[in-house]
């Protein structure tokens, strides 16, 4: 961590205190108010006006940011050497790279300067440095963590990640980071996917992986250890490995050019390798882009059957651990090889968790990773905890709560749900016997009628609210609204916003609109 960028922050009153007492560092492509976000380019010297969305959430939970960390310039690299502030090396060897592009974040955590650090992962930048510094690195499903306030590298693929020395610390930060952000066009809600089988099925490649000798020995030890978690099956990973090759040979290189190509002039501040790689994106044509999209779709279809068989796929994070000298001798080739097992994860809409495997014979760390389709993040984190010998917390399955008014997505009070860790489970309608009335506020209230004509049912979103948060949330609801039983159109019973019968004024019946959004739009 570069001391020049350590900024003392005033104490912040934590809104919920979940991370109280923990310190964090931020990769220097993530905004921290009052500190320049250089993205590894010293010409970017203007202080950020506000925190990134995810930084606000972490501070509100009690985490204290200590400073910004070094990175491969504009988050382009897996080596940690492409920075005008100097190259980072692994904390376990001055001769070996730290991995990038989140190089400084990994070093800050591994040396104990902070409890956890944020990175970003487009091609593997949150996992490679974790692997080279014996850390846990969580790469969430795309869009699960907002990237608002993050300098884009490849906007459609960029993910904010977290690294820590234990799964428990990384999970604690991750749980706070996850939130839908309506002001980030790439933010999305990713529904939790149920485990497909009663046991655990771990996939491993059915062919050799061309690893460096010391990595190969550690990988064979890893394969023997994998049987501790469950059934191990061999699968064909060739479509995934081919998809990895697309990241720097297809339309996503043009997306990097779009993000920061205007910065890649001949100024000495620009890393020459970053310039050489990304300038290639300027020449890509629209037809080449669509050819890349089509090839990726073909490879995704060829690999999708894996996820009907597996709970997770196990791979090394990298094929080897290059030295600083090896990267200097072949900066593009050495970097490309490091992404062989990581580049495809965001392209194929997967989540991943990297964590330490058995050390190599020379004492250097060997990192392994589990990956699965978007939405299986929690399951992967649990598996990583089991592998690392850490306890797996009892998961709060939550309470289903139907909302029909100002707590809907995009409406003014939706953040009251999001801040409490609620996640959208599904959308639907109430049973046809419910009517919607305007009550004080104006707010919509639902009442079930015993007599009278049935209506079309009312549009609702059903959110999964942590059980521990439901009481505090209910306390924010003012009469005549309350939370009570509500029946959906499919007969399912959930909790929902209801109003007392005396507040159901026929003159303020808006049932015919079909829902609050339709009423507000006048349709």
């Amino acid at each position: 961590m570069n001391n020049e960028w350590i900024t003392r922050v005033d104490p912040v009153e934590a809104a919920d205190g979940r991370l109280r007492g923990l310190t964090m560092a931020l990769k220097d492509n993530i905004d921290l108010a009052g500190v320049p976000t250089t993205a590894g380019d010293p010409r970017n010297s203007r202080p950020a006006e506000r925190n990134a969305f995810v930084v606000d959430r972490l501070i509100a939970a009690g985490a204290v940011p200590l400073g910004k960390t070094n990175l491969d310039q504009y988050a382009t690299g897996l080596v940690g050497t492409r920075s005008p502030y100097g190259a980072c090396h692994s904390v376990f060897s001055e001769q070996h790279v730290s991995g990038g592009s989140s190089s400084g974040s990994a070093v800050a955590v591994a040396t104990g300067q902070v409890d956890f650090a944020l990175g970003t992962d487009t091609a593997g930048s949150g996992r490679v440095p974790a692997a080279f510094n014996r850390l846990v690195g969580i790469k969430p499903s795309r869009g699960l963590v907002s990237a608002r306030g993050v300098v884009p590298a490849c906007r459609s693929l960029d993910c904010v990640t977290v690294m820590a020395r234990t799964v428990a610390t990384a999970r604690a930060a991750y749980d706070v980071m996850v939130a839908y952000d309506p002001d980030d066009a790439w933010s999305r809600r990713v529904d939790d996917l149920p485990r497909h089988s009663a046991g655990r099925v771990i996939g491993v490649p059915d062919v050799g992986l061309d690893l460096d000798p010391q990595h190969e020995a550690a990988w064979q030890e890893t394969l023997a250890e994998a049987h501790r978690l469950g059934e191990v099956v061999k699968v064909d990973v060739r479509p995934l490995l081919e998809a990895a090759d697309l990241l720097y040979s297809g339309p996503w290189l043009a997306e990097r050019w779009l993000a920061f190509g205007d910065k890649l002039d001949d100024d000495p501040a620009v890393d020459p390798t970053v310039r050489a790689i990304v300038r290639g994106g300027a020449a890509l044509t629209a037809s080449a882009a669509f050819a890349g999209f089509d090839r990726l779709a073909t490879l995704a279809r060829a690999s999708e059957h894996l996820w009907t068989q597996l709970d997770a796929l196990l791979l090394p994070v990298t094929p080897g651990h290059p030295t600083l000298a090896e990267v200097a001798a072949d900066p593009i080739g050495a970097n490309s090889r490091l992404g062989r097992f990581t580049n495809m994860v965001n392209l194929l809409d997967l989540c991943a968790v990297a964590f330490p495997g058995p050390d190599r014979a020379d004492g250097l760390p060997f990192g392994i990773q589990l990956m699965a389709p978007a939405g299986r993040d929690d399951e992967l984190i649990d598996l990583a905890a089991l592998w690392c010998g850490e306890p797996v917390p009892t998961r709060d399955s939550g309470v289903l709560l139907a909302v029909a008014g100002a707590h809907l997505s995009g409406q003014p009070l939706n953040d009251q749900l999001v801040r409490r860790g609620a996640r959208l489970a599904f959308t639907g309608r109430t049973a046809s016997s419910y009517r919607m009335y305007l009550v004080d506020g104006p707010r919509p209230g639902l009442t079930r009628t015993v007599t009278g004509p049935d209506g079309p049912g009312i549009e609702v979103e059903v959110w999964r609210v942590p059980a521990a948060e439901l009481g505090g949330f209910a306390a924010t609801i003012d009469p005549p609204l309350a939370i009570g039983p509500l029946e959906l159109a499919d007969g399912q019973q959930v909790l929902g916003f209801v109003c007392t019968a005396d507040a159901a004024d026929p003159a303020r019946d808006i049932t015919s609109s079909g829902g609050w959004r339709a009423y507000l739009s006048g349709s």
Side-chain angles (χ1 to χ4, degrees), residues 26 116 359 522:
L26 311 176
F116 68 90
D359 282 352

Side-chain angles (χ1 to χ4, degrees), residues 229-512:
L229 286 188
E231 179 185 0
V232 176
V233 298
K234 293 184 176 182
V235 295
D236 181 7
V237 297
R238 287 174 298 177
L240 282 75
L241 300 183
E242 184 176 341
D245 292 336
L246 290 175
L247 189 61
Y248 283 97
S249 62
W252 299 276
L253 187 57
E255 191 174 17
R256 285 185 186 262
W257 174 256
L258 175 66
F260 56 88
D262 61 327
K263 302 282 190 179
L264 302 181
D265 53 25
D266 293 327
D267 191 292
V270 178
D271 182 88
T273 304
V274 173
R275 179 192 293 121
I277 292 170
V278 179
R279 273 186 173 174
L284 287 171
T285 63
S287 59
F290 280 102
F293 295 144
D294 184 70
R295 184 58 186 157
L296 179 61
T298 299
L299 294 170
R301 179 59 52 84
S303 62
E304 66 184 7
H305 71 281
L306 293 177
W307 311 117
T308 65
Q309 307 171 41
L310 307 177
D311 289 298
L313 176 67
L314 176 68
L315 284 174
V317 176
T318 66
H321 192 162
T323 63
L324 292 163
E326 288 168 339
V327 171
D330 183 13
I332 294 178
N335 187 94
S336 296
R337 187 165 184 256
L338 287 182
R340 178 166 172 75
F341 307 132
T342 59
N343 284 357
M344 71 292 212
V345 170
N346 286 325
L347 288 172
L348 294 173
D349 201 13
L350 308 177
C351 54
V353 180
F355 50 95
D359 282 352
R360 302 185 344 166
D362 60 2
L364 287 180
F366 173 67
I368 54 180
Q369 61 181 330
L370 291 167
M371 56 187 67
R376 288 189 183 167
D377 303 72
D378 289 333
E379 182 178 338
L380 286 192
I381 297 171
D382 286 349
L383 288 173
L386 287 171
W387 189 292
C388 295
E390 298 185 34
V392 175
T394 302
R395 193 163 304 285
D396 181 354
S397 60
V399 178
L400 293 179
L401 175 70
V403 300
H407 290 89
L408 290 165
S409 303
Q411 294 298 308
L413 300 184
N414 180 250
D415 190 54
Q416 291 184 1
L417 287 170
V418 173
R419 283 190 293 104
R420 294 178 181 276
R423 297 191 189 180
L424 180 65
F426 56 90
T427 59
R429 303 188 80 82
T430 67
S432 60
S433 54
Y434 283 88
R435 304 195 71 80
M436 177 179 275
Y437 299 91
L438 280 180
V439 298
D440 298 340
R443 297 174 292 162
L446 299 178
T447 297
R448 190 165 200 172
T449 60
V450 179
T451 60
D454 286 345
I458 306 300
E459 175 201 10
V460 293
E461 290 179 349
V462 180
W463 287 69
R464 192 175 296 279
V465 182
E469 298 286 347
L470 186 63
F473 177 73
T476 68
I477 310 304
D478 295 325
L481 297 184
I483 292 178
L486 185 145
E487 183 177 342
L488 301 180
D490 62 2
Q492 184 176 179
Q493 299 285 335
V494 298
L495 294 178
F497 282 78
V498 295
C499 66
T500 56
D502 61 304
D505 182 353
R508 309 190 79 187
D509 188 333
I510 58 172
T511 305
S512 60

Side-chain angles (χ1 to χ4, degrees), residues 17-352:
R18 283 180 283 174
L19 303 179
R20 189 183 299 278
L22 296 184
T23 57
M24 65 177 174
L26 311 176
K27 184 176 181 177
D28 199 13
N29 61 345
I30 301 172
D31 285 347
L32 178 64
V35 180
T37 304
T38 71
D41 185 339
R43 297 171 300 173
N44 299 327
S45 58
R46 179 179 297 178
E49 294 181 1
R50 58 183 61 86
N51 294 327
F53 179 89
V54 67
V55 174
D56 270 339
R57 289 188 59 80
L58 291 164
I59 290 175
V64 177
L66 295 189
K68 308 292 283 294
T69 61
N70 204 352
L71 72 158
D72 282 322
Q73 193 171 70
Y74 291 106
T76 300
L78 291 173
V79 287
T81 64
R82 300 171 179 175
S83 169
Y85 299 110
C88 291
H89 60 77
S90 167
V91 299
F92 297 97
S93 168
E94 293 185 1
Q95 285 73 48
H96 289 79
V97 299
S98 68
S101 58
S102 308
S103 53
S105 289
V107 171
V109 176
T111 54
Q113 296 182 67
V114 291
D115 296 301
F116 68 90
L118 299 188
T120 58
D121 189 316
T122 304
S125 296
R127 289 164 283 152
V128 172
F132 289 168
N133 291 280
R134 201 180 287 149
L135 300 176
V136 175
I138 297 176
K139 195 233 55 96
S141 299
R142 285 192 290 107
L144 197 60
V145 175
S146 171
R148 179 156 57 93
V150 178
V151 177
C154 195
R155 192 181 294 274
S156 67
L157 302 179
D158 294 340
C159 294
V160 181
T161 65
V162 60
M163 287 180 278
R165 292 183 292 276
T166 65
V167 177
T169 301
R171 187 203 300 266
Y174 160 86
D175 284 343
V176 172
M177 293 161 62
V178 171
Y180 175 70
D181 178 7
D183 293 324
D184 174 6
W186 291 99
S187 180
R188 61 177 181 163
R189 299 181 183 87
V190 183
D191 292 341
D192 291 337
L193 296 180
R195 178 172 290 171
H196 82 277
S197 63
R200 299 189 192 95
V201 181
I202 309 298
V204 298
D206 62 358
V207 294
L209 295 177
D210 188 25
L211 307 179
D212 289 351
Q214 299 226 37
H215 257 47
E216 178 64 35
W219 175 239
Q220 292 303 319
E221 189 177 342
T222 298
L223 292 176
E225 179 74 3
H227 292 274
R228 238 187 355 103
L229 286 188
E231 179 185 0
V232 176
V233 298
K234 293 184 176 182
V235 295
D236 181 7
V237 297
R238 287 174 298 177
L240 282 75
L241 300 183
E242 184 176 341
D245 292 336
L246 290 175
L247 189 61
Y248 283 97
S249 62
W252 299 276
L253 187 57
E255 191 174 17
R256 285 185 186 262
W257 174 256
L258 175 66
F260 56 88
D262 61 327
K263 302 282 190 179
L264 302 181
D265 53 25
D266 293 327
D267 191 292
V270 178
D271 182 88
T273 304
V274 173
R275 179 192 293 121
I277 292 170
V278 179
R279 273 186 173 174
L284 287 171
T285 63
S287 59
F290 280 102
F293 295 144
D294 184 70
R295 184 58 186 157
L296 179 61
T298 299
L299 294 170
R301 179 59 52 84
S303 62
E304 66 184 7
H305 71 281
L306 293 177
W307 311 117
T308 65
Q309 307 171 41
L310 307 177
D311 289 298
L313 176 67
L314 176 68
L315 284 174
V317 176
T318 66
H321 192 162
T323 63
L324 292 163
E326 288 168 339
V327 171
D330 183 13
I332 294 178
N335 187 94
S336 296
R337 187 165 184 256
L338 287 182
R340 178 166 172 75
F341 307 132
T342 59
N343 284 357
M344 71 292 212
V345 170
N346 286 325
L347 288 172
L348 294 173
D349 201 13
L350 308 177
C351 54

